[in-house]
Amino acid sequence: MDESSLAILRASCLRLAGEGRLKAALAFGPGAFGYGGRDEVAVMAIVGRLRPGVRCLRDRTSGAFFILVDSGLFEKDARRGVMGDLLADKLLVPYIPVHGADHLEELEVAFKRRLAWELLLGLALSLPEFATEMYIDPRYFLYETVLRMARIMPSSAYMFANLFSKPGDRRANEPRTMRGFLEALRSLEEAGYVGRDGPFIRPTGKLLRKKPRPHVLMDLAHRLGGALRGMSKHLLKVLPGIMRPYSMEKEAFMRRFGRRAGPLRSLPSPQSFLLLRTHIGLRPALAGVALDEIARLVGPVGPGDDVRVSEIGGSLNVVYLVSVVGEEGQVRFVVKHFKNWNNLKWLSLRLWSFGAKRFIISGRERLKREYTMCRRLGELGFSVPKVFHVDLTNNSLVEEFIEGGNLATPIRDFLFGEEGADVLRLLSEAGGLVARIHAYNMTLGDCKPENIIIGPGGRLFLVDLEQASVGGEKAWDVAEFLYYSGHFAPQMADEEVFEPVARSFVRGYLEAGGPPEVVREATSVKFARVFSFFTPSQVIRTIGRVCREEAA
């Protein structure tokens, strides 16, 4: 709008508000932004001590449609949503200040701070395991709010569609809209609820500690319903006037895009702005995975991809091996679906380990541990699978397939009489590997030999890290590896059969700096009892004796 048009609107605002009562005014609507006529300009004037609280009229002088709002009512809607954002939503999108620009900016930032705060609390509540791992593009707060408002007030969808559907419109209108959000997020950063990583917002532990109970976090639908129920008879009468700018937007949308177009169809998905870091960069955290896309990002496969999927087991997860074969090569990776186990299988596991180890059964928590520990251990130089994609909607993870066999096979072969020089060396290396992880105050949680893969060149890889964590009980890792390996021994074997296995692992652990007290604690009755159901008693005695001797 040109300056002369703004001057006319400003004069109309001052006249309609009354002397000295106009606090601020803003212009919006199709006519204000160039995709509608002069009669499609809307103005919201914020007026002090306006009774009744809302008036709607067409101004003959300017030709604009006016909504006059009591300043106290408007401020309460902006700061607390008392009108279900029916009034304050004009601050969500670009507007043209007609009067009181500083006051409008202050209310806009307060409004967007509330919106951002509610969305952050929602993330902390719905994704507590991953909230602090998220990289949030600030545009998430805009488009998630747009989506929620449009679902509750479908007529408002056309306003958002006119401003953000076309790429050119987004380039023009996003920066103006995001200024208020960025200022609001800065205040949340100063309060310690979020941090920054380049252009991205990172929720903090303080935010997680602040998260409310589900019934405390009131969403837009509840606020709007409460506002409508609490409206006076007068406000209900002016509701059609409040809705009139939405009708203008719908008419403009029909002219621009046609009657068959869905107003939200061309808007960016808010989920595309919630990201997790992977080996191939930042990936959407709530999006399904395109296997051929992952394959092209991981390695050269070329056109003509042939995707082959085979299930490779997993009693507690659904695990698939995916092979993508193209003209230039082949890429293989693993897709894991982390199921929630609340049935007898997990009950049996908890009873089996009762008093010794608490196993995590939540699928989302196990997925989080697999993701975070693969990343952390990989960054520290340990050989672990590279994570390529995480889909929190389906509790799934895509990671590197490690070629090779697990350590359990040569241990079993050795215990049944095969030559053992290589396996004893591998056992010593495995002990050293566990000790180095413990040195970083991390534990594996499920330290079975099946979870150590002998990769190319004899390199040891750690897999299935869904029980791993920062902290944890180090003695359990040592105890589980030894006692679980012991169950491979023949039931009637002499004590001496398992001694080289135990001694090689324990020495490797201690020589790599593992604490002797951890080895001694691994022989405690609470651990031995857990494995006494399937590990021969003479093997349990051998493990106890070797640990005491080596840790003396």
Side-chain angles (χ1 to χ4, degrees):
M1 297 182 71
D2 58 32
E3 189 55 43
S4 62
S5 298
L6 284 175
I8 294 171
L9 291 178
R10 191 176 299 113
S12 293
C13 287
L14 291 168
R15 172 172 47 82
L16 292 170
E19 186 175 352
R21 294 172 61 193
L22 183 65
K23 303 294 184 182
L26 58 97
F28 61 101
F33 288 104
Y35 54 87
R38 182 185 174 190
D39 62 341
E40 291 180 314
V41 174
V43 176
M44 181 163 282
I46 303 168
V47 181
R49 303 183 309 280
L50 182 69
R51 296 294 180 270
V54 180
R55 290 173 53 200
C56 301
L57 61 118
R58 174 73 67 177
D59 178 52
R60 293 181 180 179
T61 303
S62 63
F65 185 82
F66 272 75
I67 302 175
L68 279 66
V69 184
D70 176 70
S71 59
L73 181 62
F74 187 85
E75 183 165 342
K76 288 177 183 177
D77 195 37
R79 295 185 186 277
R80 304 205 305 270
V82 297
M83 290 288 292
D85 300 334
L86 272 173
L87 304 174
D89 67 342
K90 312 307 181 291
L91 298 172
L92 174 64
V93 294
Y95 58 85
I96 299 173
V98 177
H99 180 81
D102 291 344
H103 185 53
L104 289 173
E105 183 179 350
E106 177 189 343
L107 291 174
E108 178 191 351
V109 172
F111 175 55
K112 289 179 175 176
R113 188 186 193 281
R114 171 170 65 81
L115 295 176
W117 176 244
E118 290 173 353
L119 292 177
L120 286 166
L121 289 177
L123 286 175
L125 192 65
S126 60
L127 298 171
E129 302 90 352
F130 277 87
T132 56
E133 300 292 333
M134 288 282 185
Y135 289 76
I136 305 175
D137 185 317
R139 289 175 293 174
Y140 165 77
F141 300 101
L142 167 62
Y143 288 108
E144 181 64 21
T145 301
V146 163
L147 185 63
R148 293 185 183 198
M149 286 186 173
R151 283 173 177 169
I152 303 304
M153 298 183 290
S155 56
S156 70
Y158 298 98
M159 174 176 67
F160 304 130
N162 281 323
L163 292 167
F164 300 114
S165 281
K166 292 182 177 181
D169 291 335
R170 288 198 290 274
R171 285 193 294 272
N173 295 317
E174 271 184 5
R176 288 190 286 180
T177 305
M178 291 307 302
R179 278 198 292 268
F181 273 116
L182 293 174
E183 186 62 35
L185 290 167
R186 268 192 287 273
S187 72
L188 292 172
E189 182 183 5
E190 290 170 0
Y193 293 112
V194 298
R196 282 193 175 269
D197 191 331
F200 299 103
I201 300 300
R202 304 290 309 278
T204 64
K206 184 178 179 180
L207 176 70
L208 283 184
R209 293 189 293 274
K210 188 74 174 179
K211 70 179 182 183
R213 294 182 297 277
H215 70 274
V216 174
L217 189 59
M218 185 170 61
D219 64 15
L220 179 62
H222 288 102
R223 284 202 306 272
L224 182 58
L228 293 174
R229 287 192 298 272
M231 276 186 176
S232 67
K233 289 182 179 180
H234 170 76
L235 288 179
L236 288 173
K237 286 181 181 178
V238 300
L239 187 59
I242 295 174
M243 304 300 289
R244 177 58 189 147
Y246 300 138
S247 300
M248 297 180 191
E249 295 284 359
K250 182 176 181 179
E251 292 162 8
F253 179 85
M254 295 301 181
R255 293 195 301 268
R256 299 178 72 201
F257 299 99
R259 294 189 173 275
R260 294 185 179 181
L264 299 180
R265 190 174 301 167
S266 300
L267 266 62
S269 167
Q271 295 183 353
S272 66
F273 300 117
L274 296 176
L275 310 170
L276 288 171
R277 188 168 297 284
T278 72
H279 183 70
I280 53 178
L282 291 172
R283 302 279 303 169
L286 295 167
V289 58
L291 298 178
D292 54 346
E293 176 195 358
I294 295 291
R296 285 192 291 273
L297 291 170
V298 171
V301 291
D305 301 334
D306 179 17
V307 180
R308 303 167 188 171
V309 181
S310 58
E311 190 166 351
I312 57 174
S315 59
L316 304 180
N317 303 313
V318 180
V319 185
Y320 299 97
L321 174 62
V322 179
S323 301
V324 182
V325 182
E327 295 177 2
E328 299 176 16
Q330 172 179 285
V331 171
R332 298 209 292 175
F333 45 83
V334 171
V335 178
K336 286 185 176 182
H337 176 60
F338 292 79
K339 298 182 288 186
N340 284 315
W341 284 94
N342 299 307
N343 58 13
L344 289 176
K345 184 178 292 185
W346 271 105
L347 177 61
S348 301
L349 183 60
R350 281 193 158 175
L351 288 174
W352 168 67
S353 61
F354 181 74
K357 167 68 177 174
R358 179 180 176 271
F359 279 92
I360 301 301
I361 68 172
S362 161
R364 177 67 59 77
E365 177 63 26
R366 293 183 354 256
L367 168 60
K368 187 249 180 123
R369 291 188 178 212
E370 178 99 3
Y371 165 75
T372 57
M373 295 307 293
C374 279
R375 282 196 59 214
R376 288 176 180 175
L377 290 173
E379 290 168 356
L380 291 170
F382 292 97
S383 299
V384 293
K386 300 179 179 71
V387 175
F388 300 134
H389 186 83
V390 178
D391 175 7
L392 298 183
T393 303
N394 296 303
N395 273 7
S396 298
L397 176 143
V398 182
E399 65 185 9
E400 178 185 18
F401 174 71
I402 305 299
E403 303 276 356
N406 65 56
L407 187 55
T409 300
I411 292 174
R412 187 185 295 108
D413 293 342
F414 174 78
L415 293 173
F416 278 83
E418 293 194 11
E419 182 61 35
D422 285 343
V423 70
L424 296 180
R425 174 183 56 80
L426 290 170
L427 283 163
S428 178
E429 291 179 7
L433 177 60
V434 174
R436 289 194 298 277
I437 290 170
H438 287 180
Y440 288 101
N441 193 32
M442 298 179 184
T443 53
L444 297 174
D446 193 11
C447 190
K448 301 193 299 284
E450 281 99 331
N451 293 340
I452 299 177
I453 301 296
I454 307 167
R459 184 178 171 193
L460 297 184
F461 285 79
L462 295 164
V463 298
D464 291 338
L465 295 169
E466 62 190 66
Q467 298 293 332
S469 66
V470 175
E473 194 160 15
K474 298 172 184 177
W476 168 262
D477 282 352
V478 174
E480 184 186 16
F481 186 93
L482 291 172
Y483 290 122
Y484 190 92
S485 298
H487 96 279
F488 297 132
Q491 286 293 322
M492 304 305 293
D494 293 336
E495 291 189 13
E496 292 77 14
V497 169
F498 192 74
E499 182 173 335
V501 173
R503 205 170 290 279
S504 295
F505 178 83
V506 171
R507 281 183 178 174
Y509 181 84
L510 293 170
E511 288 170 0
E517 60 271 20
V518 169
V519 174
R520 288 193 292 269
E521 187 182 349
T523 66
S524 69
V525 174
K526 72 173 182 178
F527 297 137
R529 172 183 53 78
V530 170
F531 296 91
S532 62
F533 296 103
F534 51 83
T535 301
S537 58
Q538 70 274 21
V539 172
I540 292 176
R541 289 195 299 272
T542 299
I543 292 170
R545 176 173 54 81
V546 169
C547 287
R548 288 190 296 273
E549 290 172 358
E550 294 293 333

